[in-house]
Amino acid sequence: MSDAVKLAPSILSADLSRLGEQVREVEMAGAAAIHIDVMDGRFVPVISMGTPIVEAARRVTSLTLDIHLMVVEPERHVGVFMDAGGDIINVHVEATVHPGRIAQEVRSRGKRVGICLNPGTPVSALEEILPEVDQVMVMSVNPGWSDQRFIEGALGKVESLRRLIDEGGLRVEIEVDGGVTPEIAPRCALAGANVVVAASAVFNDRASVGENLTELREALARVERV
Ligand code: DX5
Ligand code: ZN
């Protein structure tokens, strides 16, 4: 494996009363992106955060802001999340009938577009539009909450996607989101993922953000050397 797998901490588990500090901590600890989970209370049962949080994060970091839209009809919202400072706009294939149109709109503004797959959605749901996107996000939990158990079936989907991307000579990143720990992250990397998201494994009471990110990076480095 050549390129290092990137870490994208999700601020869903961060202490939002100290958002700036927490973002700077993950930046100092070598994170590649900040993952922001947007939930609308319809696509998933809960409501989480919206554009004000993206704007606040944008003010304190130049890291990539990876926006995960868990909302119905995301085509109604992609514009404001780009305006707020999002760099990668990820929409669920289950939430829209026109993922291709969203991909065009996002790319026309010079931003990157990702398509997310729920655990129950097969890779075939996005095969046709794979050449038009920059990233595929494989959900390894049912979206809605952090700190859930990793769903093993996600690894087979990552492997299938890796094959499709390599065979097609495409430049599409594979991101795994949900239940990632220092034990799970290397298995995602071996299956072919480029980016792993982690919320509760980064922001918790067990250790500092820096220590947690170092543990994840060291676990990944062990497989990258193989
Ligand atoms: C789940 C979110 C995830 C979540 C991950 O709906 O999309 O990004 O924050 O949390 P952990 O890493 O704790 O499973
Ligand atoms: Zn997410």
Side-chain angles (χ1 to χ4, degrees):
M1 202 162 301
S2 48
D3 294 342
V5 172
K6 290 177 270 191
L7 295 171
S10 159
I11 57 170
L12 193 59
S13 296
D15 175 357
L16 292 181
S17 70
R18 300 189 293 116
L19 178 64
E21 215 176 295
Q22 298 257 274
V23 168
R24 274 189 292 270
E25 273 173 49
V26 294
E27 186 165 3
M28 299 263 294
I34 305 289
H35 182 89
I36 303 183
D37 287 308
V38 177
M39 306 181 187
D40 67 351
R42 291 190 61 211
F43 184 74
V44 290
V46 280
I47 296 176
S48 61
M49 45 187 87
T51 50
I53 295 284
V54 177
E55 287 164 2
R58 182 75 296 159
R59 285 197 292 275
V60 295
T61 185
S62 55
L63 284 182
T64 298
L65 297 184
D66 185 43
I67 313 298
H68 182 186
L69 294 179
M70 287 160 274
V71 306
V72 297
E73 298 175 8
E75 55 274 16
R76 295 173 53 216
H77 306 284
V78 292
V80 291
F81 281 93
M82 290 191 278
D83 295 342
D87 297 300
I88 310 179
I89 307 293
N90 301 280
V91 301
H92 272 262
V93 73
E94 306 87 2
T96 179
V97 284
H98 292 300
R101 195 178 294 162
I102 294 175
Q104 277 171 10
E105 182 187 346
V106 173
R107 283 180 152 188
S108 74
R109 290 198 42 187
K111 308 265 185 179
R112 282 174 280 165
V113 65
I115 302 287
C116 319
L117 292 176
N118 271 340
T121 307
V123 167
S124 58
L126 57 65
E127 204 171 328
E128 298 301 322
I129 55 161
L130 203 50
E132 295 163 48
V133 306
D134 303 290
Q135 172 164 288
V136 174
M137 186 191 300
V138 175
M139 291 305 300
S140 38
V141 296
N142 285 297
W145 294 270
S146 58
D147 209 9
Q148 301 182 72
R149 183 184 287 271
F150 183 83
I151 296 172
E152 293 284 329
L155 292 173
K157 280 156 82 169
V158 172
E159 285 169 2
S160 308
L161 275 163
R162 173 52 56 212
R163 257 195 310 276
L164 284 173
I165 290 166
D166 290 351
E167 282 167 13
L170 304 173
R171 288 171 60 89
V172 180
E173 303 231 284
I174 304 176
E175 179 172 65
V176 177
D177 184 13
V180 172
T181 62
E183 292 71 41
I184 300 281
R187 298 176 62 209
C188 298
L190 285 172
N194 311 97
V195 190
V196 291
V197 175
S200 53
V202 171
F203 300 101
N204 58 45
D205 297 336
R206 295 189 294 277
S208 72
V209 165
E211 286 162 348
N212 286 330
L213 274 170
T214 300
E215 198 183 343
L216 279 165
R217 215 187 358 259
E218 284 175 0
L220 284 165
R222 285 194 279 277
V223 296
E224 280 154 9
R225 277 197 297 272
V226 172

